[in-house]
Short mmCIF file of all heavy atoms in Angstrom, two decimals:
data_model
loop_
_atom_site.label_atom_id
_atom_site.label_comp_id
_atom_site.label_asym_id
_atom_site.label_seq_id
_atom_site.Cartn_x
_atom_site.Cartn_y
_atom_site.Cartn_z
N LYS A 294 58.98 -106.61 -36.90
CA LYS A 294 60.26 -106.76 -37.62
C LYS A 294 61.11 -107.79 -37.05
O LYS A 294 61.78 -108.60 -37.72
CB LYS A 294 60.97 -105.37 -37.62
CG LYS A 294 62.21 -105.41 -38.43
CD LYS A 294 62.98 -104.13 -38.29
CE LYS A 294 64.29 -104.27 -39.02
NZ LYS A 294 65.24 -103.25 -38.67
N ASN A 319 56.46 -93.93 -45.66
CA ASN A 319 57.60 -94.84 -45.61
C ASN A 319 57.18 -96.33 -45.60
O ASN A 319 57.98 -97.20 -45.46
CB ASN A 319 58.42 -94.58 -44.33
CG ASN A 319 58.92 -93.14 -44.25
OD1 ASN A 319 59.51 -92.65 -45.21
ND2 ASN A 319 58.60 -92.47 -43.15
N HIS A 320 55.87 -96.55 -45.71
CA HIS A 320 55.35 -97.96 -45.62
C HIS A 320 54.24 -98.11 -46.63
O HIS A 320 53.58 -97.15 -47.02
CB HIS A 320 54.81 -98.19 -44.22
CG HIS A 320 55.82 -98.07 -43.14
ND1 HIS A 320 56.11 -96.89 -42.54
CD2 HIS A 320 56.54 -99.03 -42.56
CE1 HIS A 320 57.05 -97.09 -41.62
NE2 HIS A 320 57.34 -98.41 -41.63
N PRO A 375 57.71 -101.94 -45.29
CA PRO A 375 58.51 -102.78 -44.40
C PRO A 375 57.84 -102.92 -43.04
O PRO A 375 56.99 -102.10 -42.65
CB PRO A 375 59.85 -102.12 -44.27
CG PRO A 375 59.54 -100.66 -44.63
CD PRO A 375 58.39 -100.69 -45.60
N PRO A 376 58.25 -103.93 -42.29
CA PRO A 376 57.58 -104.17 -41.00
C PRO A 376 57.85 -103.05 -39.95
O PRO A 376 58.91 -102.46 -40.00
CB PRO A 376 58.27 -105.47 -40.53
CG PRO A 376 59.55 -105.56 -41.20
CD PRO A 376 59.37 -104.88 -42.56
N LEU A 377 56.88 -102.87 -39.13
CA LEU A 377 57.09 -101.93 -37.95
C LEU A 377 57.97 -102.61 -36.94
O LEU A 377 57.96 -103.82 -36.76
CB LEU A 377 55.77 -101.55 -37.31
CG LEU A 377 54.75 -100.80 -38.20
CD1 LEU A 377 53.68 -100.18 -37.32
CD2 LEU A 377 55.36 -99.81 -39.09
N SER A 378 58.73 -101.79 -36.24
CA SER A 378 59.56 -102.34 -35.11
C SER A 378 58.71 -102.53 -33.86
O SER A 378 59.09 -103.31 -32.92
CB SER A 378 60.74 -101.36 -34.83
OG SER A 378 61.52 -101.34 -36.01
N GLU A 381 55.84 -97.55 -33.12
CA GLU A 381 55.45 -96.45 -34.01
C GLU A 381 54.10 -95.92 -33.70
O GLU A 381 53.10 -96.67 -33.49
CB GLU A 381 55.47 -96.91 -35.46
CG GLU A 381 56.86 -97.19 -36.04
CD GLU A 381 57.40 -98.62 -35.83
OE1 GLU A 381 56.81 -99.27 -34.98
OE2 GLU A 381 58.35 -98.92 -36.47
N TYR A 389 54.48 -92.62 -40.10
CA TYR A 389 55.27 -93.46 -39.19
C TYR A 389 56.74 -93.31 -39.69
O TYR A 389 56.97 -93.28 -40.92
CB TYR A 389 54.94 -94.93 -39.33
CG TYR A 389 53.70 -95.41 -38.57
CD1 TYR A 389 53.22 -96.66 -38.78
CD2 TYR A 389 53.04 -94.57 -37.67
CE1 TYR A 389 52.03 -97.13 -38.12
CE2 TYR A 389 51.93 -95.04 -36.97
CZ TYR A 389 51.39 -96.27 -37.19
OH TYR A 389 50.26 -96.72 -36.61
N PRO A 390 57.71 -93.21 -38.80
CA PRO A 390 59.14 -92.92 -39.23
C PRO A 390 59.63 -94.13 -40.03
O PRO A 390 59.20 -95.28 -39.80
CB PRO A 390 59.82 -92.79 -37.93
CG PRO A 390 58.99 -93.37 -36.90
CD PRO A 390 57.62 -93.26 -37.34
N ALA A 391 60.57 -93.84 -40.95
CA ALA A 391 61.23 -94.95 -41.63
C ALA A 391 62.09 -95.66 -40.59
O ALA A 391 62.45 -95.11 -39.55
CB ALA A 391 62.16 -94.34 -42.71
N ASP A 392 62.33 -96.96 -40.90
CA ASP A 392 63.14 -97.77 -40.03
C ASP A 392 64.58 -97.26 -40.00
O ASP A 392 65.27 -97.48 -41.07
CB ASP A 392 62.99 -99.26 -40.43
CG ASP A 392 63.64 -100.18 -39.42
OD1 ASP A 392 64.62 -99.74 -38.74
OD2 ASP A 392 63.15 -101.29 -39.32
N LEU A 393 65.05 -96.75 -38.93
CA LEU A 393 66.41 -96.16 -38.94
C LEU A 393 67.43 -97.22 -39.10
O LEU A 393 68.47 -97.00 -39.80
CB LEU A 393 66.62 -95.33 -37.65
CG LEU A 393 65.67 -94.19 -37.47
CD1 LEU A 393 65.86 -93.42 -36.21
CD2 LEU A 393 65.83 -93.19 -38.62
N GLU A 394 67.27 -98.37 -38.55
CA GLU A 394 68.25 -99.50 -38.69
C GLU A 394 68.37 -99.84 -40.11
O GLU A 394 69.50 -100.08 -40.61
CB GLU A 394 67.75 -100.73 -37.93
CG GLU A 394 67.97 -100.55 -36.42
CD GLU A 394 67.35 -101.77 -35.72
OE1 GLU A 394 67.45 -102.91 -36.25
OE2 GLU A 394 66.73 -101.60 -34.63
N GLU A 395 67.27 -99.87 -40.93
CA GLU A 395 67.35 -100.14 -42.35
C GLU A 395 68.21 -99.12 -43.03
O GLU A 395 69.01 -99.46 -43.88
CB GLU A 395 65.94 -100.19 -42.93
CG GLU A 395 65.08 -101.31 -42.62
CD GLU A 395 65.62 -102.67 -43.09
OE1 GLU A 395 66.17 -102.74 -44.21
OE2 GLU A 395 65.50 -103.69 -42.39
N ASP A 396 68.05 -97.83 -42.68
CA ASP A 396 68.78 -96.78 -43.34
C ASP A 396 70.27 -97.03 -43.15
O ASP A 396 71.09 -96.89 -44.06
CB ASP A 396 68.45 -95.42 -42.81
CG ASP A 396 66.98 -95.03 -43.23
OD1 ASP A 396 66.50 -95.70 -44.11
OD2 ASP A 396 66.45 -94.06 -42.63
N VAL A 397 70.63 -97.37 -41.95
CA VAL A 397 72.06 -97.58 -41.61
C VAL A 397 72.65 -98.73 -42.51
O VAL A 397 73.69 -98.61 -43.04
CB VAL A 397 72.22 -97.89 -40.10
CG1 VAL A 397 73.65 -98.34 -39.81
CG2 VAL A 397 71.94 -96.68 -39.29
N LYS A 398 71.80 -99.79 -42.64
CA LYS A 398 72.28 -100.94 -43.41
C LYS A 398 72.52 -100.58 -44.81
O LYS A 398 73.48 -101.00 -45.46
CB LYS A 398 71.20 -102.05 -43.28
CG LYS A 398 71.58 -103.24 -42.43
CD LYS A 398 70.64 -104.35 -42.61
CE LYS A 398 69.65 -104.38 -41.45
NZ LYS A 398 68.51 -105.15 -41.72
N GLU A 399 71.53 -99.74 -45.40
CA GLU A 399 71.65 -99.40 -46.78
C GLU A 399 72.88 -98.50 -47.09
O GLU A 399 73.58 -98.68 -48.08
CB GLU A 399 70.39 -98.64 -47.24
CG GLU A 399 69.25 -99.59 -47.57
CD GLU A 399 67.96 -98.89 -47.67
OE1 GLU A 399 67.92 -97.71 -47.95
OE2 GLU A 399 66.91 -99.53 -47.47
N VAL A 400 73.22 -97.69 -46.12
CA VAL A 400 74.37 -96.79 -46.28
C VAL A 400 75.67 -97.56 -46.18
O VAL A 400 76.63 -97.39 -46.93
CB VAL A 400 74.33 -95.67 -45.25
CG1 VAL A 400 75.62 -94.87 -45.23
CG2 VAL A 400 73.18 -94.74 -45.46
N ALA A 401 75.72 -98.56 -45.25
CA ALA A 401 76.95 -99.30 -44.94
C ALA A 401 77.39 -100.18 -46.17
O ALA A 401 76.64 -100.52 -47.01
CB ALA A 401 76.75 -100.17 -43.76
#
Side-chain angles (χ1 to χ4, degrees):
K294 182 184 175 198
N319 303 308
H320 299 85
L377 299 196
S378 296
E381 289 89 344
Y389 282 170
D392 188 328
L393 298 177
E394 286 174 37
E395 287 295 325
D396 291 348
V397 169
K398 252 189 262 160
E399 279 165 24
V400 169

